[in-house]
Amino acid sequence: MSRPRILHPQTRRAVDIVLEMTALTEAQLFAKSRAEELVMARAYVYLILRHFNKWTFQAIAREFNRDHGTVLHSLRKLNDLYEHDRYYRVQITQVLQKAISGMGKVKVKSV
């Protein structure tokens, strides 16, 4: 059995929000897998950290043991999906709403 991952409290909150909305485990979320379901779940966590907590790409990347370019690419992809795909627009909006409800009242701006 592996020891629990120690996360920054803001990351813990973002991870918990995304895990609650998906059928994934924390181990899957932090795995190196590039399966689309996992990539999108990680991107949602990146979005919460960047949008609400104003984390830098480098800080998010360090927390996930990724390159900052990976975080940047994920967020750009999310933005593109938000603009062009109704399904993902709904998904991203739900993630943001869940993050707001989990963080108290926060003003939401466009992705």
Side-chain angles (χ1 to χ4, degrees):
M1 182 173 202
S2 64
R3 61 178 202 245
R5 181 178 289 277
I6 298 172
L7 298 173
H8 186 281
Q10 291 174 338
T11 305
R12 168 60 52 210
R13 193 169 349 157
V15 165
D16 288 346
I17 288 167
V18 172
L19 292 180
E20 185 178 313
M21 297 182 72
T22 64
L24 302 175
T25 65
E26 187 172 324
Q28 289 174 307
L29 190 66
F30 283 90
K32 291 290 184 181
S33 172
R34 291 191 281 176
E36 183 178 5
E37 179 183 31
L38 301 177
V39 169
M40 293 306 295
R42 283 191 291 266
Y44 295 149
V45 175
Y46 303 160
L47 176 65
I48 293 169
L49 292 173
R50 180 82 176 158
H51 189 76
F52 294 110
N53 300 311
K54 307 299 185 212
W55 280 33
T56 64
F57 298 119
Q58 292 85 358
I60 296 168
R62 270 192 306 272
E63 196 77 355
F64 280 81
N65 196 26
R66 301 284 195 276
D67 183 81
H68 77 279
T70 301
V71 175
L72 177 61
H73 175 75
S74 293
L75 292 174
R76 283 183 177 166
K77 180 178 178 180
L78 267 188
N79 190 53
D80 185 54
L81 289 170
Y82 183 85
E83 290 177 4
H84 298 101
D85 188 311
R86 181 175 292 176
Y87 171 79
Y88 282 107
R89 184 176 306 124
V90 170
Q91 293 294 330
I92 293 165
T93 300
Q94 288 175 347
V95 168
L96 292 173
Q97 289 173 340
K98 185 71 173 173
I100 290 169
S101 69
M103 302 170 121
K105 294 188 177 185
V106 179
K107 185 178 177 185
V108 177
K109 59 182 181 182
S110 64
V111 180

